[in-house]
């Protein structure tokens, strides 16, 4: 079929809808680490046949959110210390590249988006709305990568941020004050606003390193 005859698909597929809902359940803890996904139960809940359900679950396997055990089924991944180190090391590479690209061109729009996310994080912290704090935290890093203008960096970042969401509840409990979390993001934003690449990258690395050490004591980005 000639490419000119291909028409855009406007409606999200059943498998995509199921995958999105399962992904959200993993991210918000409704499906905690180690949970087994039963096909019969889930097919009943979604009121769908097993075909689209299996397709959806395989998408999450390819994203690294589910693991398959032979003769046992599919389980939500459990993040070990090495997984956490790997996630944040990969994020540092992607987000560091994004910072460099932002600073190579106009950065006003990027800074405005980052400042908005920091403002939302501060407001949510004041209101003790921990879910909103986490959402603003994730949005800050989404804005940072999106502002680079690189679709490949965005694509690589997407799964890493999904896995990061699984860490955020545990991460919050390690802060003596959530103001620390807000300050870290504010300082990165200010360095980008000032056009100080060395400072921005240094602060970003310290931010990722701090998260690793809080989530997996005794581990660091540089450990092997």
């Amino acid at each position: 079929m000639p490419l000119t005859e291909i028409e855009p698909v406007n409606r999200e597929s059943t498998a995509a809808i199921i995958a999105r809902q399962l992904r959200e359940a993993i991210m918000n803890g409704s499906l905690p680490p180690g949970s087994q996904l039963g096909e019969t139960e889930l097919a009943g809940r979604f009121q769908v046949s097993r075909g689209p359900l299996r397709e959806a679950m395989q998408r999450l396997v390819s994203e690294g959110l589910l693991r398959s055990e032979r003769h046992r089924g599919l389980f939500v991944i459990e993040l070990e210390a090495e997984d956490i180190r790997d996630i944040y090391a990969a994020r540092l590479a992607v987000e560091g590249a994004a910072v460099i690209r932002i600073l190579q061109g106009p950065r006003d729009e990027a800074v405005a988006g980052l400042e908005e996310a920091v403002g939302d994080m501060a407001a949510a912290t004041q209101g003790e709305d921990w879910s909103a704090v986490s959402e603003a935290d994730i949005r800050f890093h989404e804005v940072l990568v999106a502002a680079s203008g690189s679709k490949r960096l965005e694509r690589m970042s997407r799964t890493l941020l999904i896995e990061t969401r699984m860490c955020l509840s545990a991460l919050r409990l390690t802060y003596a004050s959530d103001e620390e979390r807000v300050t870290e993001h504010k300082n990165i934003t200010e360095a980008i606003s000032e056009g100080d690449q060395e400072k921005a990258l240094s602060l970003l690395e310290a931010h990722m390193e701090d998260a690793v050490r809080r989530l997996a004591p005794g581990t660091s980005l540089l450990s092997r």
Side-chain angles (χ1 to χ4, degrees), residues 109-210:
E109 187 175 341
V111 170
L114 294 173
E115 287 178 340
E116 182 179 353
V118 171
D120 289 346
M121 193 185 304
T125 297
Q126 286 290 98
E128 298 186 353
D129 185 343
W130 311 127
S131 176
V133 171
S134 293
E135 286 302 315
D137 188 332
I138 289 292
R139 190 164 68 257
F140 176 95
H141 294 281
E142 288 175 335
V143 168
L144 178 66
V145 177
S148 73
S150 170
K151 297 301 179 185
R152 288 174 179 81
L153 289 178
E154 280 194 82
R155 191 162 58 243
M156 288 186 284
S157 176
R158 197 168 298 124
T159 296
L160 293 171
L161 288 178
I162 290 171
E163 292 177 314
T164 300
R165 284 178 184 266
M166 299 175 67
C167 302
L168 291 182
S169 294
L171 184 60
R172 191 190 73 78
L173 299 175
T174 68
Y175 284 97
S177 165
D178 280 271
E179 294 295 340
E180 297 175 55
R181 191 168 167 184
V182 175
T183 299
E184 287 181 10
H185 291 82
K186 182 179 179 182
N187 289 342
I188 293 170
T189 302
E190 288 178 350
I192 292 173
S193 178
E194 294 164 2
D196 191 331
Q197 179 174 306
E198 183 177 352
K199 182 179 178 181
L201 293 176
S202 177
L203 287 169
L204 183 64
E205 180 176 355
H207 177 58
M208 300 295 182
E209 178 70 50
D210 181 62

Side-chain angles (χ1 to χ4, degrees), residues 39 41 46 52 56 59 82 87 97 112 143-144 159 178 191 208:
E39 279 191 13
E41 179 188 359
F46 285 113
R59 291 189 186 195
E82 178 57 25
I87 290 166
V143 168
L144 178 66
T159 296
D178 280 271
M208 300 295 182

